[in-house]
Amino acid sequence: MEDEVNVTFITFEGHVNMQTYRHVYFVVMFTLYILIVCSNVTIVCLIVIHKDLHKPMYVFIAALLINSVLYSSAVHPKLLIDFLSERQLTTFTPCVLQASSYYTLATSEFLLLSAMAYDRYVSVCRPLHYQTLMSRSTVTLFLVCAWLVPACELSGSVVMYMNVKMCHFTLKGVFCNTLIYTLQCVSSVALSVYGVVILVNLVLFPTLFILFTYTRILLISYRSSTTVRTKAAQTCLPHLLVLINLTCFIMFDVIVVRMGADLPKVVSLTLTLYMTVYHPLLNPFIYGLKMKEISKHLRHLFSQLTLM
């Protein structure tokens, strides 16, 4: 019977002092999750409601913020349940699906930022062709690809994991991520190679494309008028801040999570929770404060709420 339980369930061992602080963890994470959802959804609603924001750049921002909510929802609900549970368990199939969803949404953000970079490149460098190059069908294609391509590539890893024999059933983390690689009886070379391919296709190439387009934008803006330089800075800076933040997050996940067993449990838990909260919470504040048009509507909304 014990063997059957071990085969069926995976235990999360990354939690710290659950018996003492479980309710504190729950209240803090639940509050942050609600804040993530509300802040992202508020800006998405503003973009939907106001017709002056019905432009490709703001459509991509709305998609990015929706992606942040989905990303958080792939982690936090299960985490909240675990905080209130006597034992923090999952089974293998849901664990693989959670990890797949988590990384699908994380890598989708790189493709959405690539679409934003292309939009800004066309706007600044080829303004006369903007309406033609950034038509509604083009924007729709970019959005579909941003979510469909990572989903298809990550589904390949799901299939491969389902065919790998597992001998270990304890995860050092608090949710399913790259640590599921440590559950294998023997490290799979195919899975390792496929993981590198995904990292190159969905992270490295989009990042290089974004850096290339923004370098071109900065060079052209530098030779242009002050008005063009100001416009380029106002629209590109938020995207670059999000890219830097997202790149740091991926570096943390690839490097630190893999060496998580060598970190003190308190440090590992703190960094993991920070990683799952900081990025989706930062996005709406960056776009809400740095994007002039969104900020204007946001201030108007708050002024109406204070008068009620």
Side-chain angles (χ1 to χ4, degrees):
M1 183 67 181
E2 185 178 351
D3 290 338
E4 181 180 346
V5 171
N6 289 334
V7 169
T8 303
F9 293 101
I10 296 169
T11 304
F12 297 110
E13 287 197 342
H15 296 278
V16 178
N17 293 330
M18 281 292 287
Q19 297 301 322
T20 305
Y21 298 113
R22 66 169 69 250
H23 294 101
V24 175
Y25 290 150
F26 179 85
V27 171
V28 171
M29 291 305 297
F30 181 75
T31 302
L32 290 172
Y33 179 55
I34 294 300
L35 185 58
I36 288 170
V37 173
C38 291
S39 58
N40 282 279
V41 169
T42 297
I43 296 181
V44 171
C45 289
L46 287 176
I47 293 172
V48 172
I49 292 170
H50 297 285
K51 291 186 178 181
D52 61 322
L53 299 180
H54 292 182
K55 299 174 183 177
M57 177 175 64
Y58 299 110
V59 172
F60 290 134
I61 290 174
L64 192 74
L65 299 180
I66 292 171
N67 197 77
S68 293
V69 174
L70 295 174
Y71 164 82
S72 297
S73 299
V75 176
H76 289 106
K78 177 62 170 71
L79 204 55
L80 292 171
I81 292 171
D82 284 344
F83 286 150
L84 298 180
S85 302
E86 288 299 320
R87 299 181 64 189
Q88 292 71 49
L89 303 171
T90 187
T91 52
F92 180 65
T93 299
C95 189
V96 172
L97 293 177
Q98 183 187 43
S100 176
S101 301
Y102 176 73
Y103 290 112
T104 294
L105 295 164
T107 52
S108 290
E109 195 150 335
F110 279 96
L111 298 186
L112 288 169
L113 288 172
S114 299
M116 290 181 181
Y118 179 74
D119 173 72
R120 292 301 85 206
Y121 171 79
V122 175
S123 176
V124 174
C125 304
R126 303 186 65 183
L128 298 179
H129 300 87
Y130 183 80
Q131 295 298 329
T132 303
L133 293 175
M134 293 304 299
S135 63
R136 178 176 294 184
S137 59
T138 302
V139 172
T140 303
L141 179 62
F142 282 160
L143 292 176
V144 171
C145 289
W147 278 305
L148 191 60
V149 171
C152 290
E153 291 205 18
L154 267 298
S155 64
S157 64
V158 172
V159 173
M160 294 175 73
Y161 265 109
M162 292 303 178
N163 294 309
V164 170
K165 182 174 176 56
M166 300 292 168
C167 293
H168 310 285
F169 298 91
T170 300
L171 281 177
K172 298 297 183 181
V174 294
F175 67 94
C176 297
N177 51 21
T178 54
L179 285 174
I180 62 173
Y181 187 79
T182 63
L183 300 178
Q184 303 173 81
C185 297
V186 179
S187 296
S188 170
V189 176
L191 269 172
S192 298
V193 172
Y194 193 71
V196 172
V197 170
I198 291 175
L199 193 65
V200 170
N201 285 345
L202 301 180
V203 176
L204 181 60
F205 285 162
T207 300
L208 292 177
F209 174 78
I210 293 167
L211 293 176
F212 170 77
T213 53
Y214 281 133
T215 301
R216 291 285 299 162
I217 289 171
L218 291 174
L219 289 174
I220 292 175
S221 300
Y222 180 76
R223 304 191 197 106
S224 304
S225 64
T226 304
T227 304
V228 174
R229 287 199 296 271
T230 303
K231 179 184 176 183
Q234 287 177 342
T235 57
C236 294
L237 182 60
H239 304 324
L240 287 174
L241 290 174
V242 173
L243 176 64
I244 292 170
N245 181 51
L246 184 62
T247 304
C248 291
F249 150 69
I250 290 294
M251 289 175 63
F252 167 83
D253 190 78
V254 171
I255 298 172
V256 179
V257 170
R258 283 297 180 93
M259 57 178 285
D262 300 325
L263 293 173
K265 188 178 285 190
V266 174
V267 175
S268 180
L269 175 64
T270 302
L271 290 174
T272 301
L273 296 181
Y274 178 79
M275 177 181 67
T276 61
V277 169
Y278 176 70
H279 183 66
L281 191 57
L282 184 66
N283 284 354
F285 285 98
I286 287 179
Y287 290 114
L289 296 176
K290 293 295 184 181
M291 300 298 290
K292 184 178 178 181
E293 292 300 316
I294 295 177
S295 178
K296 178 183 69 177
H297 290 297
L298 203 55
R299 287 196 301 270
H300 179 67
L301 174 63
F302 287 146
S303 64
Q304 286 185 322
L305 291 175
T306 55
L307 293 175
M308 293 176 62

